[in-house]
Amino acid sequence: MLLVEDGRRSYDDIARRVSLSAPAVKRRIDRLRADGSIRGFSAVIDPEAFGWRTEALVELFYAPGTQLSVVAASLAKHPQVVEAWSVTGDADAIARVRTTDNADLERLIMDLQQDGQVIRTRSQVIMSALIARPGD
Amino acid sequence: MLLVEDGRRSYDDIARRVSLSAPAVKRRIDRLRADGSIRGFSAVIDPEAFGWRTEALVELFYAPGTQLSVVAASLAKHPQVVEAWSVTGDADAIARVRTTDNADLERLIMDLQQDGQVIRTRSQVIMSALIARPGD
DNA sequence: ATTGAAATTGCGCGTTG
DNA sequence: CAACGCGCAATTTCAAT
């Protein structure tokens, strides 16, 4: 969708590109928002400009029988956790985290381990972005 | 920033919330965009609504001496690759991918391997999202 | 503060099932 | 004929100068 490329495009602009009228476009978008196809709109930020200088993917290994909901709750406490997924394979979950520096990253990982059921973590720190498509 | 929560908020709306005038807000946002702190705006989509039913993190292992630029170019060819990072640790890079189904995922991985320098991959398919903060 | 652009709403029309 | 989605035009809100 064109709105993924630029979430502030005007209805008129979109309308011209798809050969419709502006109101028609608005109503379609309203519908997409209502039924959840479009979750919302967001500004995409440069993390460095906000002091987040290190980013990492942290694989999390939980104690047997740990509930997903408590995992999620534990992760939600830490604003450094940008995204986290429950995954198949070796690890139980993977968190994408953003910290000010390596020390902060270390502290976060310690926190997560103390927080409860984390047995082990394995981190892969991001050196550079190869691909970044917004809106995901 | 409030614009991360809702990228289509009006200047007036923001101005009221932060006790400033609308023009002042606009100037600030213009400055943030100019200096790169705000990269842009985007609609956040429900992948399922667009037929993307499987998501995975794919660790990529490249042949020794492979250039990052060719890695990036190879990944960029595939629209299923949503994000990709060069990382420390075991793997050389990690790609977040979105496919219609498992067969499509398998095909994508084969493609990436044929495409050149990928020696090995290891995939972790995402079962559910635990945390999702937009705008990142 | 003013001027112009964009968003929003009501209404009638054509198409479809 | 009922439901739906469109375009037009009028109104209101917003943006830019």
Side-chain angles (χ1 to χ4, degrees):
Chain A
M1 164 94 57
L2 290 167
L3 278 173
V4 174
E5 296 171 12
D6 180 358
R8 299 209 88 172
R9 234 189 263 286
S10 77
Y11 294 140
D12 254 325
D13 184 358
I14 298 165
R16 261 176 270 116
R17 289 168 197 259
V18 299
S19 309
L20 280 175
S21 72
V25 170
K26 181 207 182 316
R27 279 156 185 156
R28 283 193 180 197
I29 292 172
D30 285 349
R31 233 175 297 133
L32 289 171
R33 296 191 69 165
D35 72 20
S37 300
I38 296 179
R39 295 231 178 88
F41 297 89
S42 178
V44 11
I45 283 313
D46 177 10
E48 287 204 25
F50 287 73
W52 309 113
R53 311 183 81 211
T54 106
E55 223 171 322
L57 295 168
V58 182
E59 296 178 86
L60 302 167
F61 300 79
Y62 281 85
T66 302
Q67 297 297 314
L68 278 184
S69 56
V70 332
V71 174
S74 157
L75 292 170
K77 286 200 198 104
H78 300 277
Q80 295 102 331
V81 178
V82 173
E83 291 179 287
W85 312 275
S86 151
V87 297
T88 67
D90 211 14
D92 297 308
I94 299 183
R96 184 150 82 85
V97 306
R98 239 181 355 224
T99 57
T100 57
D101 53 27
N102 285 9
D104 191 22
L105 173 59
E106 189 174 21
R107 210 174 311 122
L108 170 64
I109 291 172
M110 303 299 265
D111 279 1
L112 287 174
Q113 289 186 345
Q114 302 232 287
D115 213 31
Q117 313 72 8
V118 176
I119 290 180
R120 194 164 77 83
T121 65
R122 184 171 53 200
S123 300
Q124 297 169 288
V125 357
I126 293 174
M127 293 186 289
S128 71
L130 301 172
I131 302 283
R133 296 192 222 274
D136 305 309
Chain B
M1 166 93 57
L2 290 167
L3 277 173
V4 174
E5 296 172 11
D6 180 358
R8 300 209 78 165
R9 211 164 248 148
S10 77
Y11 296 142
D12 256 329
D13 185 356
I14 298 165
R16 260 177 270 114
R17 289 166 197 262
V18 298
S19 308
L20 282 175
S21 74
V25 170
K26 179 203 184 326
R27 275 191 288 271
R28 283 196 183 195
I29 292 174
D30 284 347
R31 189 173 48 74
L32 290 172
R33 296 190 69 164
D35 72 20
S37 300
I38 296 180
R39 294 230 179 89
F41 297 89
S42 177
V44 8
I45 285 313
D46 177 9
E48 287 204 23
F50 287 71
W52 308 113
R53 310 184 84 210
T54 107
E55 222 170 323
L57 294 168
V58 182
E59 295 178 88
L60 302 167
F61 300 79
Y62 281 84
T66 302
Q67 296 297 315
L68 278 185
S69 55
V70 331
V71 173
S74 156
L75 291 170
K77 287 200 196 103
H78 301 277
Q80 296 103 329
V81 178
V82 173
E83 291 179 289
W85 312 275
S86 151
V87 296
T88 68
D90 211 14
D92 298 307
I94 299 183
R96 184 149 82 86
V97 306
R98 247 195 331 237
T99 57
T100 58
D101 53 27
N102 286 10
D104 192 22
L105 173 59
E106 189 175 20
R107 211 175 310 121
L108 171 63
I109 291 173
M110 302 299 266
D111 280 2
L112 287 174
Q113 289 186 344
Q114 302 231 288
D115 214 32
Q117 312 72 6
V118 177
I119 290 181
R120 193 163 78 83
T121 65
R122 183 171 52 199
S123 301
Q124 297 169 289
V125 355
I126 293 174
M127 294 187 288
S128 71
L130 301 172
I131 302 284
R133 296 193 222 274
D136 307 310

